[in-house]
Amino acid sequence: LQIWSNELNISLQHSSNMRPYNWSYTQFSQFNSDDSLLLVSGVFVGPHNSSSGEIAVISMENFTLLSRVRNKPYDVFGCWLNETNLISGNLHRIGRITSCSVLWLNNAFQGVESENVNVVKRLFKIQNLNASTIRTVMVADCSRYDSPDLLLDYEEQLAASSTCPVFDLGSDSEEEEAKPKQTAEPAAQELLDEEGVMAEDGLQQFFDHIMEGHVHPAMTETELETKVAELFVRNRTKPPELNLLPTDSNSKMKYLIFTTGCLTYSPHQIGIKRILPHQMTTAGPVLGEERRSDEFFDSLDHVIDIHGHIIGMGLSPDHRYLYVNSRAWPRDCVISDPMQPPPIAEEIDLHVFDLKTMKEVKRALRAHRAYTPNEECFFIFLDVSRDFVASGAEDRHGYIWDRHYNICLAKLQHDNVVNSVAFSPVEQELLLTASDDATIKVWRSPRVVRVQQARKPRPRKLLFSWLLNQNS
């Protein structure tokens, strides 16, 4: 872990070795809103060399380690909800390809708080199908929507392009329209009532149909587990808390955003869940005692299907727009085995979604590339400033686009894969790129370089002025 200053002469401010804490490597960091605390996530090596994730919270006042939070899987990364509370994940296996992701709200000061004060609280419990898991969590603040830094309006582009399907899981009709067309088992269809809601005894009926041999064609073990999980989750999911939404405005509401999926282990959907004001503190019930015993899981509020492998996400500074790196699947591909997702394109598409309307707002940018297959595909970070968006790539370059005009402005060369990019929070024309070539490069725009050079005093000119003053 290294912390640098972003002044004119960039310098190292602090360095910490995380290996004494059994960390294999660090992978992500994020400052809280007032820059007083730093969240750092990494890969934790446990007993028998099992790998999980962990989040460390570091004070920027004296660079001390305040707390450590377990985070599973490690590519959940973690994020800040507010100045003192962060979100982490945990994963519980239910079957071979079925699991449950639990998202936790943690107090950053766990090590120093009183034992009588809650330092953790469960936020959401969401079931995963077909080997998928929740990853890459981030929080969008809805209070910033009405005063965006940049308002994107690409109606002509939108009309000329096909948008990604968006649907609200609170509505069964929209859900069915957005799902990929697949042939459902006749026996399973009969278990649904007219409103598409699972009958209370539907799961038992399904088992009876299996035992009697009425489910045709015969299912594989994987297909059977997925079908049982789908039926179970329909009957055990807590509906959205629409009645708790603010009536005057969404000023106090936030969105939890993450990658997920329903067809395969590769993340191909963006899940969005409202975080309501009463959920933004660790005070109150710790394990969700308010929910009924038959409400095991929380439903999502929105899902955006990318139809490809999502490899990066980033929010605009005003939290109005979500930028997504993805590698597309073939147009008419059919997924029959969740453990064998479709091949992915080498070209990386950069999508932009308006979080106020949940719609794609312009055609995907395509200038950078990646080459690793699905099973080896890794996260490529991107970052967004007021006027620019930057991303890494596997073609040994970082890229910068203009957000207004949708054009690529620069390619920044490295000797290996560029995994991460970051704009300076105080100067958007300063960008850092990190690469597998073991270097971090700092890039400034030509305009900033000219301004800085103009500010430097010129010794000869100053000397000439001094001599004139002496002669007078």
Side-chain angles (χ1 to χ4, degrees):
L1 165 66
Q2 294 182 327
I3 301 173
W4 305 76
S5 71
N6 61 349
E7 298 174 354
L8 180 59
N9 295 320
I10 294 177
S11 60
L12 181 64
Q13 299 293 301
H14 174 72
S15 179
S16 295
N17 182 10
M18 302 302 290
R19 290 195 181 276
Y21 302 103
N22 288 339
W23 280 32
S24 177
Y25 55 88
T26 59
Q27 57 179 355
F28 173 77
S29 62
Q30 183 185 51
F31 289 98
N32 66 350
S33 58
D34 61 8
D35 293 335
S36 61
L37 300 174
L38 176 65
L39 174 156
V40 182
S41 70
V43 177
F44 175 86
V45 179
H48 309 293
N49 292 324
S50 62
S51 63
S52 181
E54 190 169 72
I55 296 172
V57 179
I58 297 173
S59 169
M60 294 304 296
E61 181 179 359
N62 50 17
F63 300 115
T64 57
L65 180 63
L66 297 179
S67 59
R68 294 164 61 193
V69 176
R70 195 55 57 90
N71 191 40
K72 184 178 180 181
Y74 56 80
D75 48 8
V76 169
F77 294 148
C79 65
W80 290 105
L81 176 61
N82 50 43
E83 288 82 357
T84 58
N85 291 288
L86 59 134
I87 295 174
S88 66
N90 200 357
L91 185 68
H92 302 280
R93 294 291 178 186
I94 300 175
R96 189 174 70 90
I97 61 169
T98 307
S99 64
C100 170
S101 288
V102 181
L103 298 171
W104 292 88
L105 184 62
N106 306 267
N107 193 316
F109 302 95
Q110 291 185 17
V112 295
E113 289 286 2
S114 166
E115 63 181 10
N116 297 320
V117 176
N118 291 340
V119 293
V120 295
K121 184 174 74 172
R122 190 177 72 185
L123 269 180
F124 306 117
K125 186 177 182 181
I126 299 169
Q127 186 174 16
N128 307 307
L129 300 175
N130 289 322
S132 67
T133 62
I134 286 178
R135 316 173 193 179
T136 324
V137 297
M138 58 180 61
V139 171
D141 187 348
C142 303
S143 65
R144 307 187 191 185
Y145 287 179
D146 295 329
S147 55
D149 297 330
L150 171 67
L151 191 60
L152 299 178
D153 186 9
Y154 290 85
E155 293 184 358
E156 293 183 1
Q157 293 188 30
L158 187 61
S161 63
S162 59
T163 61
C164 293
V166 180
F167 55 92
D168 186 342
L169 287 183
S171 168
D172 292 305
S173 60
E174 291 179 345
E175 178 184 0
E176 293 302 321
E177 290 175 2
K179 279 188 175 180
K181 294 181 180 180
Q182 295 181 344
T183 303
E185 301 296 337
Q189 288 181 334
E190 295 172 0
L191 298 178
L192 303 179
D193 59 19
E194 295 179 354
E195 298 178 355
V197 180
M198 185 62 201
E200 291 185 3
D201 59 346
L203 197 59
Q204 183 60 50
Q205 290 182 24
F206 183 58
F207 286 132
D208 293 342
H209 279 266
I210 294 175
M211 297 301 294
E212 296 169 3
H214 294 165
V215 178
H216 298 288
M219 293 192 212
T220 65
E221 182 179 346
T222 297
E223 292 170 336
L224 178 61
E225 181 179 328
T226 299
K227 183 59 65 177
V228 170
E230 288 177 343
L231 298 178
F232 184 75
V233 75
R234 284 179 180 269
N235 202 33
R236 297 292 176 139
T237 297
K238 185 179 182 181
E241 301 179 86
L242 298 178
N243 57 322
L244 296 178
L245 290 177
T247 55
D248 51 348
S249 69
N250 291 337
S251 60
K252 295 182 179 180
M253 190 176 68
K254 297 183 179 183
Y255 282 142
L256 181 66
I257 302 171
F258 46 84
T259 62
T260 183
C262 64
L263 301 176
T264 174
Y265 71 83
S266 60
H268 59 94
Q269 293 178 323
I270 299 169
I272 299 177
K273 181 68 179 173
R274 296 178 181 93
I275 306 177
L276 304 176
H278 74 280
Q279 297 172 313
M280 297 184 190
T281 172
T282 54
V286 178
L287 294 176
E289 290 90 342
E290 76 282 358
R291 82 175 63 213
R292 301 199 314 263
S293 60
D294 61 341
E295 293 173 338
F296 289 177
F297 306 108
D298 294 286
S299 64
L300 305 185
D301 294 303
H302 297 279
V303 172
I304 301 173
D305 201 308
I306 300 296
H307 195 72
H309 192 134
I310 300 171
I311 61 171
M313 294 200 304
L315 285 168
S316 60
D318 55 16
H319 287 205
R320 174 72 181 263
Y321 299 100
L322 178 67
Y323 287 72
V324 180
N325 270 338
S326 74
R327 297 172 61 184
W329 290 339
R331 183 179 299 273
D332 299 320
C333 66
V334 176
I335 300 176
S336 57
D337 185 349
M339 305 309 295
Q340 294 183 353
I344 49 180
E346 289 185 352
E347 295 81 9
I348 301 175
D349 295 331
L350 182 55
H351 303 273
V352 187
F353 297 93
D354 187 341
L355 293 178
K356 189 171 184 178
T357 63
M358 298 295 170
K359 301 292 183 181
E360 188 167 8
V361 294
K362 60 179 176 179
R363 283 200 302 267
L365 303 174
R366 180 176 284 186
H368 48 327
R369 302 172 73 88
Y371 307 106
T372 53
N374 253 313
E375 63 273 12
E376 300 175 10
C377 197
F378 54 87
F379 205 78
I380 294 180
F381 289 92
L382 54 88
D383 197 19
V384 187
S385 70
R386 185 184 67 253
D387 299 312
F388 309 112
V389 56
S391 173
E394 290 186 46
D395 58 10
R396 303 182 179 184
H397 288 86
Y399 288 80
I400 302 177
W401 291 269
D402 186 289
R403 292 182 64 199
H404 300 263
Y405 299 104
N406 208 23
I407 58 175
C408 184
L409 299 175
K411 292 176 63 176
L412 312 174
Q413 187 169 1
H414 275 267
D415 294 328
N416 209 325
V417 173
V418 178
N419 294 303
S420 183
V421 296
F423 287 105
S424 164
V426 295
E427 176 52 72
Q428 68 167 348
E429 293 181 49
L430 186 153
L431 179 74
L432 277 75
T433 56
S435 169
D436 280 352
D437 63 14
T439 65
I440 298 176
K441 292 187 178 182
V442 181
W443 310 83
R444 288 187 172 93
S445 70
R447 186 194 69 83
V448 170
V449 172
R450 289 194 300 270
V451 170
Q452 290 177 350
Q453 290 177 343
R455 289 175 181 172
K456 293 181 180 179
R458 298 181 179 180
R460 292 183 179 179
K461 191 172 184 179
L462 290 176
L463 178 61
F464 180 73
S465 300
W466 180 79
L467 289 174
L468 288 177
N469 290 334
Q470 290 295 104
N471 292 333
S472 61

